[in-house]
Amino acid sequence: MKLTFFDIETYNELFCFCGITYNSEDHSEVSRLCVHSDFKTGVVDQFDFDKINDYLMNAGDFILSYNGTRFDLPVLAKMKSDIKKMCQTSQSYIHEDANMLIS
């Protein structure tokens, strides 16, 4: 059984997505992904978001996260909407959206 664990972190200066997929039958790592906003510009573009989307679409049997339905998935959905409109988004916008979810 393939289990995928992921988390996102949103800071005013940085957005980061990290995921790891683990095979519970043979106790091996299947894949891992780390995507972050550009350190100089703070941008997450369509290419970066497609990596995240593809990773989750091919995640396997279970996707696990801490507070994913209340935080991580809504932030990713808003990012997808912004990127669809403008072909990119900024970590400062991501951070603002995340803060509104927390409030």
Side-chain angles (χ1 to χ4, degrees), residues 23-80:
N23 184 332
S24 65
E25 293 169 4
D26 65 5
H27 307 288
S28 65
E29 180 181 319
V30 176
S31 62
R32 84 174 44 206
L33 178 69
C34 183
V35 174
H36 54 78
S37 54
D38 184 274
F39 291 119
K40 291 182 182 176
T41 64
V43 167
V44 177
D45 61 18
Q46 182 71 52
F47 179 74
D48 294 325
F49 192 81
D50 286 346
K51 284 194 254 182
I52 295 169
N53 192 55
D54 291 345
Y55 187 76
L56 292 175
M57 293 299 292
N58 297 306
D61 302 305
F62 291 96
I63 300 174
L64 301 105
S65 67
Y66 177 77
N67 204 20
T69 56
R70 291 188 175 180
F71 184 76
D72 296 343
L73 294 177
V75 168
L76 290 172
K78 180 68 168 78
M79 287 175 61
K80 181 178 181 177

Side-chain angles (χ1 to χ4, degrees), residues 67 70-71 95-103:
N67 204 20
R70 291 188 175 180
F71 184 76
H95 183 69
E96 289 174 23
D97 294 335
N99 279 337
M100 286 195 300
L101 280 170
I102 293 169
S103 298

